[in-house]
Amino acid sequence: MPLDQSFTGRTYPPTEPYQVGREKIREFATAVGAADALYHDVEAAQNAGYRDVVAPPTFPIVLSFAAMEQIVTDPELGMDYTRVVHGDQRFSYRRPIVAGDELVVVSSIDDITHRGGHDFLTTRAELATPAGEPVVTVVCKLVVRGQGE
Amino acid sequence: MAYEKGQQLPLQTFRVTRADLVRYAGASGDFNPIHWNERTAVGVGLPGVIAHGMYTMALAGRAVTGWVGSADAVLDIGVRFTRPVPVPDTDEGTEVEFTAVIKSVSEDGLVTFDLTAICAGEKVLAQARVVVKQI
């Protein structure tokens, strides 16, 4: 059954603040093979003008992926996550994420379309400080493959 | 480094093994078994275990920060996942190759890279575009 297009424009409640840890940034950077000093070395980051180590460009997926649970498990929307394929992904920065940041995620559904038997869902996650300073916008397009062959 | 529109960036190749995917699953929190369990991957019609799209995207980020020589330069990074990256259960795994061309250079120092990512002769990303601030 196609997704209900009236969910377009729906915004979900903000997540609890996520504490960006120095070791989590190092762990993520190591996992993607990024050895740059800014991601690992506090002194190097401070010499570059940052309070602490800087997160690699795709790090916000750690927060936005977890926050998207709200959408994919929304019983009213009724997505079959076993049929979901990742279509597009984008991160648009106001400033880099730095260890010690606290970030709140607000997820929204920007678009739902149905064509060729598949659903196309565009989600947006706004990552901001608890005080409301916007940091990163994360846009994720998902394809929910139809049941028909 | 001063970039010019149309400039080609040199090839960067990254190796991807099953161990990399397991480590990425843990670091990212994406434990979808198609990225580490052959039985599940084959069961949903894939050729075998495939890399997280987000792992390939992270490599795209590494390619750009490598070209630019600055780990914090990325302002905007966006990709479309067009084909999976199968990762065989071997010590060698597979390789993803990145090249790019400079699409534009703005007056305020923003440089836009159009990336190409190839695995086993196939393009695995489309519309892969990264904007950096020039140092």
Side-chain angles (χ1 to χ4, degrees), chain A residues 24 27-28 30-34 36 38-39 50 54 57-58 61-62 65 86-93 96 141, chain B residues 20 23-24 26-30 54-55 57-59 61-62 65 71-72 74-81 127 133:
Chain A
K24 187 66 190 179
E27 178 194 8
F28 187 88
T30 299
V32 302
D36 310 65
L38 280 187
Y39 304 146
Y50 296 103
V54 177
T58 63
I61 197 69
V62 174
F65 184 79
H86 201 172
D88 293 60
Q89 183 71 40
R90 183 173 178 189
F91 303 92
S92 303
Y93 281 87
K141 296 185 184 179
Chain B
D20 294 324
R23 189 176 296 116
Y24 183 77
S28 69
D30 182 350
M54 288 307 305
Y55 186 81
M57 188 177 187
L59 296 181
R62 269 181 70 191
T65 55
D72 59 345
V74 172
L75 295 178
D76 199 291
I77 177 167
V79 305
R80 169 162 295 170
F81 304 105
Q127 299 174 28
K133 60 173 187 285

Side-chain angles (χ1 to χ4, degrees), chain A residues 20 25 38-39 45 48-60 91-103 127-129 133-137, chain B residues 65 70-76 133:
Chain A
V20 179
I25 286 180
L38 280 187
Y39 304 146
Y50 296 103
R51 186 182 61 237
D52 208 315
V53 295
V54 177
T58 63
F59 178 83
F91 303 92
S92 303
Y93 281 87
R94 309 292 213 296
R95 65 158 172 88
I97 293 177
V98 175
D101 277 339
E102 274 202 324
L103 295 171
L127 279 55
T129 66
E133 178 206 358
V135 179
V136 191
T137 300
Chain B
T65 55
S70 172
D72 59 345
V74 172
L75 295 178
D76 199 291
K133 60 173 187 285

